[in-house]
Amino acid sequence: MDGSRPILQVQGLSAAFFTRRGVVRAVNDVSFSLAAGQTLGVVGESGCGKSATAMAILRALPFPGRLTGGKVLFEGEDLLAKSEPEMQRIRGRRIGMIPQDPTASLNPVMTAGKHIIEVLQVHLGMSHAEARERAAELLHTVGIPEPELRLHAYPHQLSGGMRQRLMIAMAIACRPAALIADEPTTALDATVQAQILELLRSLCAQLGTATMLITHNLGVVAGLCDTVLIMYAGRVVEQAATEELFARPRHPYTVGLLRCVPRVDQVGLAELWSIPGQPPDLIKPLPGCAFAPRCPLSSDECWEALPPLAPQGGTGHLCACWHADEVEGLKTWKLQESLG
Ligand SMILES: Nc1ncnc2c1ncn2[C@@H]1O[C@H](COP(=O)(O)OP(=O)(O)O)[C@@H](O)[C@H]1O
Ligand code: SF4
Ligand SMILES: [Mg+2]
């Protein structure tokens, strides 16, 4: 495994939904690079464009979504230049996908075994016997006990955590170079969530998979992701190595998200907090910073001009805020006070 080999390079990616109500600019100028064995966390509230970014990368935007610009290089190949049949061979085989809700993605009349066997037969051309044997191994790998028995289980006979493990088994069946997990644990309770995330982490490290982990919970990325990309209103507003982001958040939105993470050492002392207000309507983008209506630091400049994603120091830390310097100096409690 070569940790520095770029697997996925996304450059200036933009996508929109052309609805009757207007054009929803869901993904705007998103760029990042993801190397083999690395995990990138994509974090933001619901509606910030996380799933649309993933779907745009896979060229699988639902109608009326369309790519409107940018480039996606996967192992050096331009995905936007591929035909649909070529993309079908890439999705599921070379780029695995784990969706938020396994129940919606599993066929209720197909056994666990059949789900995996089908993936192996379609993408790798395995015989039924070969695929069956491999399916049992995969169930074992993802921590499903008694795999031989579970091959015959239908989705409704599995717990939520088991169903998500099955989705992971299907996603890694072809040993993809990249994996996109879209809120893979949102539907699960906290203990199972932690187990599934640990499973994902260890599998990706073992297989050297470049992983994009989408979540609305910044707490999930700590200890799991190498880098984090914070999205707000369809744009990347902050990007940094995970440790750097947690130690020195520069965007007021990131500071707000950090305050939403429950802390074990503060149980009983602080109530779980949420950022006041709502993410904006992406059909009518503001001329300036999209976070201005919710931001305690906003000034006239913020309402007038869009802040560029600019380097913060020499560490690869990027932030799109006119007042990033002031955020660093702010104590979190002070920000909360002014927000509240
Ligand atoms: N099929 C669709 N048709 C129209 N608008 C959509 C569709 N899917 C998503 N959107 C809009 O695109 C924006 C980004 O959505 P999404 O990427 O799903 O957000 P997230 O995954 O961060 O919750 C939202 O404003 C959402 O309403
Ligand atoms: S640019 Fe202004 S409104 Fe936007 S996050 Fe920074 S301080 Fe707040
Ligand atoms: Mg989503």
Side-chain angles (χ1 to χ4, degrees), residues 79-162:
L79 287 193
L80 306 194
K82 300 267 178 216
S83 67
E84 184 47 32
E86 284 173 321
M87 279 312 293
Q88 280 172 11
R89 284 193 290 276
I90 290 172
R91 287 185 216 113
R93 175 177 179 171
R94 294 170 63 201
I95 307 180
M97 175 82 196
I98 303 172
Q100 177 170 347
D101 180 7
T103 316
S105 312
L106 294 169
N107 184 338
V109 297
M110 246 163 77
T111 60
K114 179 100 174 105
H115 276 93
I116 307 178
I117 289 167
E118 218 168 60
V119 172
L120 294 167
Q121 288 185 313
V122 168
H123 285 303
L124 302 182
M126 280 188 183
S127 70
H128 186 270
E130 260 181 315
R132 193 188 174 287
E133 191 178 324
R134 181 82 185 111
E137 283 169 16
L138 280 160
L139 289 184
H140 175 73
T141 304
V142 297
I144 293 187
E146 302 182 285
E148 282 292 338
L149 272 180
R150 303 284 182 188
L151 282 178
H152 305 288
Y154 288 91
H156 74 271
Q157 295 171 315
L158 301 172
S159 66
M162 292 262 203

Side-chain angles (χ1 to χ4, degrees), residues 46-71:
S46 180
C48 283
K50 307 179 299 293
S51 298
T53 302
M55 289 301 137
I57 290 169
L58 290 167
R59 295 239 327 259
L61 282 164
F63 180 82
R66 260 205 331 262
L67 283 161
T68 52
K71 218 171 181 178

Side-chain angles (χ1 to χ4, degrees), residues 203-287:
L203 283 176
C204 294
Q206 233 171 302
L207 304 173
T209 319
T211 306
M212 179 173 162
L213 174 71
I214 295 173
T215 173
H216 62 268
N217 181 354
L218 193 47
V220 160
V221 307
L224 205 77
C225 298
D226 302 287
T227 46
V228 186
L229 204 135
I230 306 285
M231 280 192 83
Y232 188 73
R235 287 185 186 277
V236 176
V237 294
E238 185 157 19
Q239 187 170 356
T242 309
E243 268 181 34
E244 163 76 7
L245 187 100
F246 275 76
R248 278 173 291 279
R250 301 297 292 263
H251 199 283
Y253 182 56
T254 309
V255 175
L257 289 176
L258 280 167
R259 285 216 48 94
C260 301
V261 177
R263 285 181 49 178
V264 179
D265 57 339
Q266 284 186 354
V267 172
L269 293 177
E271 273 180 44
L272 194 52
W273 189 76
S274 64
I275 304 170
Q278 298 292 326
D281 184 347
L282 300 182
I283 291 182
K284 297 184 200 93
L286 293 167

Side-chain angles (χ1 to χ4, degrees), residues 19-40:
T19 72
R20 255 181 278 163
R21 217 163 60 80
V23 182
V24 182
R25 307 230 169 253
V27 183
N28 300 279
D29 202 14
V30 170
S31 301
F32 63 86
S33 178
L34 187 53
Q38 288 219 310
T39 301
L40 169 80

Side-chain angles (χ1 to χ4, degrees), residues 237 250-253 288-299 301-303 305-307 319-324 326-327:
V237 294
R250 301 297 292 263
H251 199 283
Y253 182 56
C289 173
F291 193 57
R294 304 170 79 185
C295 182
L297 297 180
S298 65
S299 62
E301 183 185 27
C302 302
W303 289 89
L306 186 70
C319 178
C321 173
W322 293 120
H323 299 292
E326 293 157 53
V327 173

